[in-house]
Amino acid sequence: MSLYRTELRRLRKRRFIRYLALGGLLVLAAVTVGMFLTNQKIGPKQIAAAERRAEQEWRQHVAFTEQYRAQCETARAAGTAGDEFPEDCAEIEPASRESFDPEGFLPSTFDFRNEFGVTLTTLTAVLALVAFIAGASFVGAEWSSGGMMNLLLWRPQRIRVLFTKLAALLSALAGLAVVASALWTVAFWAIGTYRGTTENMTSGAWQSFGLTELRGLVLVLVAGTLGFGLASLGRHTALALGGALGAMVVGQFGLALVLSLAGTRFVDAWLLPTYVRAWMEKKVTLLNWQVCQVSYGGECQPETFDITWQRSAILFAVAVVLVLGGATWAMRQRDIT
Amino acid sequence: MAPVLEIEGLRKTYRSRRRGERRALDGFDMVVEEGQVHGFLGPNGSGKTTTLRTLLGLIRPDGGRMAILGQEVPAALPTVARQVGAIVESPQFFPHFSAEDTLSLLAGAGGVPQRRVMEVLELVGLRERARERVKTYSLGMKQRLAVASALLKDPKLLILDEPANGLDPGGIREMRTLVRTLASGGMTVVFSSHILAEVQQICDSVTIISLGRRVAAGPVAEVLAQHSNSGLRVRLEAVTDLPTAADLLTRAGVQVTPADDHLMVFGVDKPATVTRALAEADLYVSELAPVTADLESVFLELTATAPVPGRHRQVDQSVVVGGQAGAAVSDQTARGWGE
């Protein structure tokens, strides 16, 4: 227990990790402030303004259409009409007033029930990035500075030391994620209250948000574990960060390009962000418009491929087992020189 | 006295696809008795640090037996680690922590009371600078911090690998005093250093390693006696008589090494034998002085690492144990240590 507490203390004392966490929270704060500033509560004043704007836009449209028809008729009469005008200038008619729906001219407003779930993906992405880098730095800097060797002289139990460090890291990340999620929820509830609406919230909706936040927490812990495991495997922070960067550039952008050129179906099924989205949104349906499946109504329907959160869970579990297993094996077998 | 540290037949081979195999430890033996200050000497790359790392569980040996405080290691390391303080090679610490934080975290991990932190910082002279970050420290200050970290547990066995590295002359003297004080308090100290005069001054016993094998071991005086060719320096009134004198003494069964202005004479029981033999040939001695070898010359002789003009010795070029000279050395060592 003393080792666990000491590792928590060590984590707290690491300035880079403190700044990293603070940076992550500032990014999240900036997003919430941005959301607050770019959304407005919809009232009679906003609706009236939107109606005025819709009317104005429609009138402009009518004026332009009439001008265009006049040009067409002039050109037809002079016999100079080219391809830019239709054969029959009477076909040039303005759109109906109804197609200029005032709702389209309303300012952005934040609907908590419909939009909060999407913001949780942003929250999780930022926290997962922080977790990955913090995990890599926490153990990587220990290896490269010789701190790990010193610690092992005091506690010559390699696996225990490794997993105690991981436990300290994950509990700190969990604490950070829970606090950040709570603040995020409160902030967006406030945005909904003052710059949108919080109507139609049911216990089911809250439960759904709670489960999404829980999945987000799991993803943050997975990212932290992968960063920790990769840095431990390479005994340097740079290995984890370089590995992740390489995997993103070569394994994701490069792979996407190659698969697209090769005409592979469902290219997105090979890309990590799709699995992150599927994990957070429970399901992502990929569409292949190159294949036309004719429906009973004679419509052309694209081929579909579902990626579920369970499939994402298997991918994350395999990654964690491979990386952490490798780190454990290396810790047990490799000499510390 | 019971041995605090025992190593028998320790073997370690480093394997690399590019560089092939390198035998770092080749059946190395070492014994350190309780309460001793024991010097652990060897040329660069001879296996000192590999031995210490293996002993402390950082490196897996390929064979052999090790015991600390009577308990077999590495199996019992978690039990005995609390009683062993060690610094291995150059001091390495997380550079952005202060000395106080560094030691405080180690104390926390090892279950040592936090009050020990300032005690040991005081002991090594870092109390005033305890709150400064380690990255601002000089090598000597880092070395002091390393020693402080090793002392934190108040260990029964203290292993110091090159503790004087980077220390100023005052620091070296302080280190010497500290080691002697600790030993007088009952602590056993294993002390690795290249400053052989230092080792000779503070160590009760030594082990000399070369190419992964023990080439000498025992009390310092005994090793010096066994392995040094203590002789006599003989000067004559006339330098021109030196060849005649050398010839005369050689015929008398004495081993003679001529120098420019004197002779070195070995294998003589009594100095009077030399003066009498020379006087009988009307050769008169102007100086007859005993020359005692020091640990440095014994070390250079045993490890065959004395510099040779015009040659650049490579780090792995030292005495080949198992060859003729090495075998003789090993036999002597085994006898001396076994007795």
Side-chain angles (χ1 to χ4, degrees):
Chain A
M1 194 60 192
S2 68
L3 183 59
Y4 172 77
R5 277 202 301 270
T6 303
E7 290 309 316
L8 272 182
R9 259 184 75 209
R10 190 191 305 278
L11 190 65
R12 276 202 306 274
K13 280 186 178 291
R14 286 287 307 280
R15 209 164 45 151
F16 174 74
I17 291 174
R18 283 207 309 263
Y19 288 164
L20 185 70
L22 185 66
L25 293 176
L26 284 177
V27 168
L28 294 175
V31 171
T32 53
V33 168
M35 287 294 281
F36 186 85
L37 294 177
T38 54
N39 283 286
Q40 284 184 40
K41 203 165 181 67
I42 304 298
K45 194 176 148 193
Q46 282 77 16
I47 292 170
E51 277 172 354
R52 276 199 304 277
R53 178 90 191 278
E55 180 68 22
Q56 190 186 355
E57 291 284 329
W58 181 73
R59 284 182 191 287
Q60 273 181 6
H61 169 71
V62 168
F64 174 77
T65 309
E66 280 169 1
Q67 188 187 358
Y68 184 53
R69 189 167 52 203
Q71 283 173 351
C72 174
E73 283 164 355
T74 310
R76 287 274 168 235
T80 57
D83 291 342
E84 72 267 31
F85 297 114
E87 288 292 325
D88 183 3
C89 294
E91 285 176 11
I92 301 173
E93 281 185 347
S96 66
R97 172 66 181 83
E98 288 72 36
S99 59
F100 282 75
D101 187 355
E103 207 168 289
F105 297 94
L106 284 171
S108 297
T109 187
F110 187 74
D111 183 343
F112 189 85
R113 191 185 197 288
N114 289 328
E115 295 173 44
F116 180 63
V118 180
T119 71
L120 289 175
T121 304
T122 308
L123 170 75
T124 303
V126 172
L127 290 178
L129 185 67
V130 168
F132 184 87
I133 299 173
S137 169
F138 182 49
V139 74
E142 283 284 296
W143 275 116
S144 53
S145 70
M148 181 67 96
M149 190 186 80
N150 272 340
L151 184 58
L152 289 172
L153 291 178
W154 281 69
R155 297 293 287 252
Q157 297 149 300
R158 295 185 184 194
I159 302 302
R160 191 173 181 177
V161 165
L162 186 75
F163 278 91
T164 306
K165 274 184 178 291
L166 180 61
L169 172 77
L170 294 185
S171 49
L173 288 176
L176 177 72
V178 167
V179 170
S181 299
L183 292 175
W184 187 260
T185 308
V186 169
F188 275 88
W189 180 260
I191 292 171
T193 305
Y194 297 107
R195 298 288 176 138
T197 177
T198 54
E199 284 171 8
N200 303 322
M201 278 306 292
T202 58
S203 61
W206 278 116
Q207 193 182 17
S208 172
F209 289 155
L211 288 172
T212 308
E213 286 182 342
L214 192 63
R215 286 200 301 278
L217 171 66
V218 171
L219 193 60
V220 168
L221 298 183
V222 165
T225 306
L226 291 178
F228 181 92
L230 285 171
S232 191
L233 204 53
R235 296 186 175 180
H236 208 289
T237 311
L239 186 117
L241 302 186
L245 195 66
M248 286 310 291
V249 172
V250 179
Q252 297 293 293
F253 299 130
L255 188 66
L257 189 69
V258 169
L259 293 176
S260 298
L261 290 174
T264 308
R265 294 157 61 214
F266 306 116
V267 172
D268 285 353
W270 297 92
L271 305 182
L272 185 63
T274 308
Y275 289 87
V276 172
R277 268 185 57 213
W279 175 254
M280 293 302 293
E281 296 166 16
K282 290 202 283 192
K283 190 169 90 174
V284 167
T285 301
L286 303 178
L287 305 176
N288 180 19
W289 290 97
Q290 289 170 342
V291 175
C292 184
Q293 294 174 334
V294 181
S295 69
Y296 289 114
E299 254 181 296
C300 177
Q301 297 288 339
E303 187 186 12
T304 60
F305 181 71
D306 287 342
I307 294 179
T308 59
W309 68 272
Q310 290 94 333
R311 206 181 272 259
S312 299
I314 292 169
L315 180 76
F316 298 152
V318 167
V320 165
V321 166
L322 284 179
V323 170
L324 206 53
T328 308
W329 176 85
M331 186 69 168
R332 191 188 291 273
Q333 296 296 326
R334 280 175 62 191
D335 289 340
I336 297 163
T337 52
Chain B
M1 267 190 290
V4 168
L5 170 60
E6 292 172 274
I7 297 175
E8 283 176 16
L10 192 62
R11 285 185 290 109
K12 175 70 186 178
T13 302
Y14 290 113
R15 292 175 179 86
S16 160
R17 256 180 223 166
R18 266 190 302 168
R19 293 183 292 271
E21 285 191 1
R22 190 175 69 78
R23 225 180 265 181
L25 293 172
D26 188 14
F28 178 68
D29 302 317
M30 184 174 176
V31 178
V32 179
E33 304 289 345
E34 190 181 341
Q36 282 187 341
V37 178
H38 188 93
F40 185 27
L41 316 176
N44 294 334
S46 60
K48 290 191 304 294
T49 301
T50 300
T51 303
L52 298 181
R53 284 180 189 270
T54 309
L55 188 68
L56 296 165
L58 300 174
I59 290 178
R60 285 169 165 264
D62 296 326
R65 178 188 159 263
M66 298 176 290
I68 295 176
L69 299 164
Q71 300 197 57
E72 299 290 318
V73 291
L77 260 181
T79 318
V80 296
R82 178 70 178 77
Q83 295 168 295
V84 181
I87 55 169
V88 183
E89 227 170 18
S90 55
Q92 292 179 321
F93 298 103
F94 187 67
H96 302 289
F97 285 165
S98 67
E100 189 180 0
D101 284 342
T102 302
L103 296 190
S104 172
L105 288 168
L106 283 176
V112 170
Q114 291 293 324
R115 64 175 163 73
R116 277 292 291 165
V117 171
M118 288 318 282
E119 282 175 15
V120 291
L121 284 171
E122 170 78 38
L123 205 59
V124 299
L126 283 177
R127 183 174 45 81
E128 303 281 319
R129 308 281 293 270
R131 299 230 161 120
E132 289 176 25
R133 283 196 278 168
V134 172
K135 75 173 193 175
T136 65
Y137 281 16
S138 67
L139 176 61
M141 288 166 73
K142 286 180 189 163
Q143 199 72 51
R144 286 167 188 260
L145 179 59
V147 174
S149 74
L151 290 173
L152 202 56
K153 302 180 210 176
D154 198 10
K156 284 186 178 165
L157 171 63
L158 181 65
I159 296 172
L160 302 174
D161 192 7
E162 302 282 351
N165 206 5
L167 292 184
D168 52 29
I172 293 174
R173 184 170 285 189
E174 282 167 24
M175 183 68 66
R176 189 165 65 211
T177 311
L178 177 67
V179 167
R180 289 273 27 143
T181 309
L182 293 170
S184 64
M187 195 181 288
T188 307
V189 183
V190 174
F191 185 88
S192 144
S193 176
H194 286 300
I195 307 173
L196 299 178
E198 196 69 21
V199 173
Q200 194 171 348
Q201 276 191 61
I202 66 171
C203 290
D204 303 306
S205 57
V206 290
T207 295
I208 301 178
I209 183 174
S210 181
L211 291 178
R213 296 189 73 176
R214 184 173 75 184
V215 292
V220 175
E222 222 170 84
V223 169
L224 286 173
Q226 283 176 1
H227 300 290
S228 67
N229 288 323
S230 297
L232 297 168
R233 185 172 57 238
V234 180
R235 288 184 205 274
L236 299 180
E237 282 182 333
V239 177
T240 49
D241 289 337
L242 284 175
T244 315
D247 187 44
L248 189 72
L249 291 170
T250 305
R251 277 191 277 120
V254 175
Q255 190 189 335
V256 180
T257 305
D260 284 350
D261 61 346
H262 68 274
L263 300 176
M264 283 301 301
V265 179
F266 302 101
V268 179
D269 288 341
K270 294 175 186 169
T273 316
V274 174
T275 51
R276 191 181 304 119
L278 293 175
E280 281 170 1
D282 289 335
L283 299 170
Y284 298 103
V285 173
S286 63
E287 182 189 331
L288 184 70
V291 177
T292 311
D294 57 9
L295 194 56
E296 183 172 296
S297 44
V298 171
F299 176 85
L300 294 174
E301 179 205 326
L302 284 173
T303 59
T305 52
V308 176
R311 273 203 225 157
H312 302 285
R313 185 180 64 84
Q314 303 302 302
V315 280
D316 286 335
Q317 284 179 353
S318 44
V319 71
V320 180
V321 180
Q324 221 165 3
V329 167
S330 289
D331 291 347
Q332 282 179 356
T333 305
R335 273 200 310 276
W337 193 239
E339 281 161 9

